[in-house]
Amino acid sequence: MSALDTLADRMFPDVTHTPEEYEALYPARQLKEGARVTRIAPSPTGYLHLGVLYAATINYLTAKSTGGVFYFRLEDTDSKREVDGGAEDILAGLSHYGLTPDEGYGGPGKETGNYGPHRQSDRAEIYHTYVKDLVRKGLAYPCFCTAEQLNAVREEQESRKERTGYYGAAAVCRRLSPEEALQKIEAGLHYVVRLRSPGDESRRVKFDDMVKGTIEMPENDQDLVLLKTDGIPTYHFAHAIDDHLMRTTHVIRGDEWISSVPIHLQLFQVLGFKPPKYAHISPIMKEENGNKRKLSKRKDPEAAVRYFTEEGYPIQSVMEYLLTIASSGFEDWRKCNPAADRFSFPFNLKKMSVSGALFDLDKLNDVSKNVVSAMDADAVTRYILEWAAQYNQEFHAKLAADPVFAQGIFSIDRGGSKPRKDIGKWSDAPDYAAYFYQRPDPTGLEYPESLHAADIKEILSSYPPVYDPSQDRQQWFDAIKALCPALGFCPEVKEYKKNPDGYKGHAGDVSTVLRIAVTGRRNTPDLCSIMRLLGKEEILARLQAAASVL
Ligand code: GLU
């Protein structure tokens, strides 16, 4: 037995498996040519962020559009930053948005697929097996430097204006013989395990990033930590082991990791693994006072995905919008394929924005108004009821008291070739529907300034006798037109325009007065339908109330 074997056995007495066994246990996947295996690998450090949903969407699309696999890995190696229920919140959020992974960690005790476990805290034995093998081969070594010693080294490097870190002369433990290392372990000293980096700072490493293009950086020469004192792997090491054994073909992740790629490529090389393809996506940006900045978890409520749920943005809207910002070709594709499954969009990583997608709530609202305008009344009513049950109980109680009436409200002007676009999110609904539940205050009504109070009063009092709820839209407007001559208004707008001084106004002004008296608003969906839904008695009461204060 060599001294390195003895050292490796002493460091990992419990490891009974070999890398070869794991290679055989997790063989190359049998997928069709070109199929991509992607993953989302969040840390359970809090609620689901928009950035994670965005990255998951891109990973999901990449896998789905190639007949591949999208899986979920939980990177819970940093227990200090872990939040209770964080993983469940992320998983529930992804499923809510239709991004259910094909495989992976699915919550406590839940695992799917043949490449798990997918929770890093369940993979200690795998990591240790590989590190033991590296130690045996002299490619990794125990490092006994204390935090104080490392600090002192760093300060010295700084004072000499040198690059800081554990490399070259500073990497003292790399020069210990296996026997010396063994002695320190026997003496009970704590240690981390470091990579014996084969890199050289003066050499360059070049790789093709699928989003950012060809990138060149100096090689890594730092003896980075693979396992911490408690035996838990660092992100870098776990990434190499996991993405290899889970047979990931494309690592698509935030571009904060781009500077780590030289380390990762080196790890793949030392471990004898084929590296995956990398795609580093730019963060979601926000424009503020003409400047672009990263969406901030601290400053921007929309950075948390729950914001969209609370505001009542339909799932479809958020997803459509994320695809719009992920790929400049999506909007045009959507115009040509209005009913197609969004995940059939031929997504191309290479066409993603390199500088960062701009997130704009106004644009999301527009996208969402389109989405909502295409829904039928049944769906809209159901979604609004669901949203209100959770976020606006008072409104929910009103709707639930008469579901048929509620559905009537959301049926108005729905369907047809030019649907109105009043509602972008369910939280718009209470205001949208307010006048159906509450009479407008007659003293606060704002009529067109061109009309005199006496004329308005006359309109309000002469209309009730001609109102008949059985009228269709045409008959309803014809009845208004028929009233016009006696009121001094012109029945036809065209005629009126030829001779505006000859009239007090036109039929449209008369209906505006009625609209304001009934709803308190100047702009509403179809007034004939509103009146029919509110019922004759209520309409007459509102008209009378409005007339009585003039
Ligand atoms: N746990 C890492 C993160 O949340 C994952 C990065 C990756 O996708 O590799 O940033």
Side-chain angles (χ1 to χ4, degrees):
M1 209 191 219
S2 77
L4 282 173
D5 284 333
T6 312
L7 176 63
D9 278 346
R10 178 64 185 80
M11 286 166 73
F12 300 99
D14 299 332
V15 166
T16 54
H17 296 289
T18 62
E20 292 69 31
E21 285 171 52
Y22 285 118
E23 292 297 323
L25 192 61
Y26 306 110
R29 292 172 187 261
Q30 299 301 315
L31 295 170
K32 72 174 193 340
E33 179 82 17
R36 294 176 174 180
V37 180
T38 66
R39 82 292 192 279
I40 187 76
S43 301
T45 50
Y47 51 84
L48 178 59
H49 297 141
L50 190 62
V52 174
L53 185 66
Y54 182 59
T57 304
I58 292 158
N59 275 287
Y60 184 93
L61 254 178
T62 301
K64 294 295 147 181
S65 59
T66 56
V69 175
F70 166 65
Y71 72 85
F72 184 97
R73 180 167 73 230
L74 190 67
E75 304 214 321
D76 62 343
T77 54
D78 189 352
S79 52
K80 276 188 247 102
R81 292 178 57 225
E82 193 162 333
V83 167
D84 264 357
E88 285 67 35
D89 187 60
I90 296 172
L91 279 164
L94 294 178
S95 300
H96 184 70
Y97 283 95
L99 304 175
T100 308
D102 301 307
E103 297 177 357
Y105 176 76
K110 278 195 250 156
E111 271 284 346
T112 44
N114 299 324
Y115 290 83
H118 296 85
R119 179 166 68 174
Q120 289 184 329
S121 55
D122 294 332
R123 299 175 63 76
E125 199 182 323
I126 300 177
Y127 304 126
H128 291 182
T129 301
Y130 279 87
V131 181
K132 181 174 185 177
D133 191 55
L134 293 179
V135 172
R136 231 173 26 81
K137 293 173 174 160
L139 301 172
Y141 62 89
C143 166
F144 304 90
C145 292
T146 60
E148 293 73 39
Q149 285 169 319
L150 293 175
N151 263 338
V153 168
R154 203 192 50 241
E155 279 166 17
E156 212 177 300
Q157 287 168 328
E158 278 168 355
S159 74
R160 283 200 245 113
K161 303 230 173 333
E162 287 172 1
R163 239 176 350 113
T164 58
Y166 208 79
Y167 67 98
V172 286
C173 291
R174 134 194 285 253
R175 289 184 289 278
L176 292 175
S177 69
E179 293 79 5
E180 286 167 323
L182 203 56
Q183 266 178 17
K184 288 185 187 282
I185 293 176
E186 296 302 351
L189 295 190
H190 290 298
Y191 60 87
V192 299
V193 184
R194 288 185 187 270
L195 173 75
R196 190 182 295 276
S197 170
D200 179 338
E201 239 265 323
S202 66
R203 290 195 301 248
R204 317 268 301 164
V205 50
K206 202 168 160 181
F207 69 98
D208 286 317
D209 186 278
M210 293 185 75
V211 174
K212 310 257 176 186
T214 303
I215 294 181
E216 233 189 270
M217 282 188 249
E219 269 184 18
N220 169 61
D221 66 349
Q222 305 263 349
D223 283 359
L224 71 113
V225 175
L226 304 178
L227 290 185
K228 297 178 252 182
T229 336
D230 51 10
I232 290 179
T234 53
Y235 165 73
H236 303 302
F237 183 61
H239 152 56
I241 298 293
D242 294 349
D243 279 315
H244 168 67
L245 290 181
M246 295 175 191
R247 305 292 170 177
T248 312
T249 62
H250 289 67
V251 168
I252 307 169
R253 61 185 176 186
D255 69 1
E256 67 273 23
W257 294 111
I258 209 156
S259 59
S260 305
V261 175
I263 293 177
H264 296 165
L265 291 175
Q266 187 172 78
L267 281 169
F268 277 89
Q269 178 209 325
V270 170
L271 287 159
F273 301 158
K274 177 177 179 238
K277 292 220 161 44
Y278 285 102
H280 287 91
I281 50 185
S282 308
I284 296 181
M285 310 293 282
K286 178 163 173 145
E287 201 167 79
E288 197 176 56
N289 311 324
N291 296 319
K292 270 190 176 188
R293 62 164 174 80
K294 272 196 203 178
L295 197 66
S296 145
K297 290 175 197 168
R298 207 165 36 81
K299 286 194 228 157
D300 305 313
E302 68 270 32
V305 170
R306 92 167 86 76
Y307 168 84
F308 301 96
T309 318
E310 287 168 6
E311 289 289 306
Y313 282 100
I315 292 164
Q316 299 90 311
S317 307
V318 176
M319 292 312 291
E320 289 284 305
Y321 184 60
L322 285 183
L323 289 179
T324 304
I325 61 173
S327 178
S328 54
F330 182 76
E331 262 185 303
D332 285 341
W333 177 85
R334 179 46 93 209
K335 276 191 198 120
C336 302
N337 303 276
D341 174 353
R342 75 181 67 92
F343 293 123
S344 66
F345 169 62
F347 181 69
N348 186 347
L349 280 169
K350 294 189 171 141
K351 290 197 182 148
M352 286 192 74
S353 149
V354 177
S355 63
L358 199 61
F359 190 87
D360 175 1
L361 273 175
D362 292 336
K363 181 79 205 245
L364 167 65
N365 279 325
D366 286 347
V367 167
S368 194
K369 282 178 178 176
N370 274 331
V371 169
V372 174
S373 76
M375 291 180 180
D376 64 26
D378 210 36
V380 171
T381 312
R382 194 158 27 84
Y383 285 133
I384 292 176
L385 271 165
E386 274 170 24
W387 171 83
Q390 197 144 5
Y391 300 106
N392 190 334
Q393 269 101 35
E394 196 187 324
F395 184 52
H396 183 264
K398 286 181 188 165
L399 298 175
D402 186 348
V404 177
F405 184 73
Q407 175 138 348
I409 298 173
F410 303 114
S411 305
I412 296 174
D413 281 352
R414 212 152 267 290
S417 60
K418 275 195 139 194
R420 283 178 64 96
K421 296 181 179 164
D422 299 287
I423 299 180
K425 50 189 191 300
W426 310 134
S427 55
D428 291 339
D431 178 62
Y432 175 79
Y435 57 82
F436 287 97
Y437 293 103
Q438 187 165 20
R439 288 185 185 168
D441 171 8
T443 60
L445 300 177
E446 287 176 25
Y447 298 101
E449 276 168 16
S450 58
L451 303 180
H452 296 293
D455 296 327
I456 295 169
K457 191 168 176 136
E458 209 183 337
I459 293 172
L460 295 174
S461 47
S462 50
Y463 181 70
V466 305
Y467 179 54
D468 175 357
S470 68
Q471 289 160 341
D472 66 17
R473 273 164 107 141
Q474 191 58 51
Q475 293 163 336
W476 175 86
F477 199 51
D478 286 345
I480 289 174
K481 283 185 184 173
L483 270 182
C484 283
L487 292 167
F489 283 69
C490 181
E492 303 296 338
V493 183
K494 260 197 212 148
E495 291 300 315
Y496 170 78
K497 284 199 172 146
K498 282 188 211 151
N499 178 19
D501 295 334
Y503 303 95
K504 292 175 180 165
H506 54 75
D509 295 321
V510 176
S511 68
T512 295
V513 167
L514 297 174
R515 188 186 309 276
I516 291 170
V518 169
T519 68
R521 297 181 187 181
R522 220 176 250 216
N523 182 0
T524 71
D526 175 48
L527 184 58
C528 169
S529 310
I530 294 172
M531 287 183 162
R532 196 176 310 126
L533 185 64
L534 282 169
K536 183 160 185 175
E537 208 179 309
E538 179 65 20
I539 294 304
L540 298 189
R542 290 186 184 198
L543 295 177
Q544 207 211 327
S548 70
V549 298
L550 288 170

